[in-house]
Amino acid sequence: MILIYLLKVSACTLIFFAAYQFFLAKLTFFNLNRIYLLLMLGLSFGIPALTIENRHEIMVSNQEIPSKIAYSNDSVIEQDFVDESSAANNSLNWDQVLMYVYCSVLVFLVFRMLFVMVRIQIQLRKHAIDRSGAVILVNEKSTIKNCSFFNQIIIDSSLQYEEKNLVIKHESVHVKQLHVVDKLLVNFVTAILWFNPIIYFWRNAIDHNHEFLADRETAKVADKKVYASLLLNLAMPAQNFAMNSFSKLPLKNRIMMLYKEPNAKPQKLAYVVIIPVLMICCMAFINRKEIIIERKSAGNQASADTPVKPNVYAMNYLNSNIKVNPNTAFNEVEPVLVIDAGHGGKDDAGSALDGQKEKDLNLRAVKILQEEAEKRGVKVVLTRSTDQFLSLRDRLPTGEATAFISIHHNATQAGAPVPFEGIEVYVSKQNSNIKAAEDLGTGLLSKLKQLNGMEVRDSLKNGSLFLLRESKAPAVLIELGNISDGKTLNYINQEKNIRRISNLILDGFVAFSKRGC
C-alpha cells in the first residue's frame, strides 16, 4: 500500500535528519552538507522500495498421498455473512478515503507550486525596468526583488551601486551552483510528504545551506561587517520557496556562520556517522520476502521456483463427467484461478487470540498465494485486494475460470474448546457441478497433506454456503487453521509457512487444471 510506503519514507527522513542536526548542521563543510541532504532524501525513498528475498530450500517427497472422496461433519464452519443494510455496497472504505485525501492535497500543492512560478514571471514582466544579461532591475513597487529565480537575478533599482554588486555576487553563487534544482526537488518532495513535519525542517535546512554557501563566497570579496550590515538592512520575511532571496528572516544562523572559523579537515570524520545511520534504516525498512524452493527427493521434476506454465484444456463445467487424459481435440487455454479473501470491510468475521481480524489474515494469505502463482505463470484473479465489503454474489466468478477458491480461517468463541485446529477443505453437495468440485478438493487435500507443522483434515467437508452452492466453476473453501488456537496462530503468522501452504495449493490446482473435463 502506497500510504504504508510513504510512512516508511517519513520514518527514514526522521532518522537521517536527526543525524544531520546532531552531528553535521554546525559544521562549515557546506558542500558536503548539501550532498548529504540531497543524497539522504533520495535514499529515504529508495530504501523502503527495496526488497530482499530470503530463499529457503526444502525437500519434499515425490510421492503424493492419495485422498479418497470422503466427508466428515465434526467441526465448525463460519456462517455466510448476511448484509441487512440497504446500502451494503456503499459502506465507507477508509483506506480509499485516506488515499483520496492524500492525492487531493498532493495535487493542490503541486499546482500551487506551478502557480507561484507563473506568478513570479508575471510580476517580473510588470515591474522590470531594465535588463542586463541575467540581471533584472525592478522598481520599488515590486515585491519580488534581491533574489534569484532560475538563471535570473532580480535587483531592487533603488539600491546603491556597492549594494547592488554585493547582492549580484551573492545571487550569482545560487545561479552558478544550480541551487534552484535543489529547491525544485525538495519542494516536490514536500508536496509528496506534506503530512510529514520533518520534511519542512529538511527544506529549511537545504535553504539555509544554500545561503551559507553564497555568504561564504561573497565574504571572500567583501568586508564581513559591511556585508552583515547589508543583510540586516535588506532582511524581509520569506515570501515563497521558489526563489533564493538575498536576505530573509531569521538571520541569526547566517550571521553566526559568516563569522565562524572554518572547521579543520579532520572534523570531516563526523560524516562517518552516515554509515551506522544508513545501516539502521536498511535493517528497519528494507522489505523482506520469504521464498520457498521445493526440491523433489526423487525423480527429475522441476522445483517450485521454476516458472512452469501448465497445459490446461478447455473445460465445460456444466458436464459432470470428468474425462481424464484429454486427446488432441481439446483446445489448450490459459488457466485462471479466482481467489476470494473471505469477509472484508464491515464484515470482520472472527478475531484471533492476538487481536488480528480474520478478514485481514484472509487478505494477507490471498496476496501471498497470488505472488506464488505469478512465479509459476498461473493467472490469478482476486475478488478483493483491499479491505472492502463485497456481497456474496459479487464474489462469484463472472468470466472463464478454471477454479474458484475462497480462503478463510476458522475461529471459535472465547473459552470454547477448539474442535479442530488445522486446515480443512469444504465443498457443497448442493452444487450441480459437485463432481468437479470434489475432484479439485481431494486434489488439494492430497497436496496439503505434505505439510509439516500443521494438521490437515483427511477428508472433505460439506458446507451449505452460498459461494460453494452457486459457483459455476469448481469451488472449494479452505480454512487455513483455527486462529483461536495459539499453536496454529503462531504457525500461520510466519510468512514462510503461508508461502509453503500456497505452493501446495497451487500444486493441487495445477494438477487439477491439467485433467480437463
Side-chain angles (χ1 to χ4, degrees), residues 349-413:
S351 294
L353 290 175
D354 59 0
Q356 295 184 83
K357 296 178 180 178
E358 187 205 335
K359 63 175 184 177
D360 298 325
L361 290 169
N362 295 340
L363 185 58
R364 169 177 172 262
V366 160
K367 287 187 174 181
I368 292 174
L369 181 54
Q370 182 186 37
E371 290 177 5
E372 296 301 317
E374 289 174 350
K375 296 175 186 176
R376 298 177 175 221
V378 175
K379 182 178 179 181
V380 166
V381 176
L382 301 185
T383 59
R384 70 177 179 97
S385 57
T386 60
D387 181 20
Q388 65 179 121
F389 174 79
L390 292 175
S391 68
L392 295 175
R393 189 165 296 279
D394 288 338
R395 295 174 185 268
L396 291 173
T398 55
E400 292 293 330
T402 310
F404 175 53
I405 299 176
S406 185
I407 298 297
H408 289 252
H409 292 77
N410 248 327
T412 53
Q413 295 182 351

Side-chain angles (χ1 to χ4, degrees), residues 322-345:
I322 299 178
K323 299 177 181 179
V324 185
N325 299 323
N327 56 37
T328 55
F330 283 86
N331 295 321
E332 192 172 312
V333 295
E334 181 182 21
V336 178
L337 174 59
V338 179
I339 306 176
D340 171 53
H343 309 286

Side-chain angles (χ1 to χ4, degrees), residues 37-47 185 202:
L37 290 169
L38 295 177
L39 180 61
M40 294 303 111
L41 195 59
L43 288 177
S44 294
F45 280 86
I47 289 174
L185 174 64
W202 198 301

Side-chain angles (χ1 to χ4, degrees), residues 118-134:
V118 172
R119 179 176 173 272
I120 291 173
Q121 290 290 6
I122 294 173
Q123 287 286 315
L124 291 180
R125 292 194 186 99
K126 181 178 179 180
H127 297 288
I129 59 176
D130 186 38
R131 291 176 181 266
S132 177

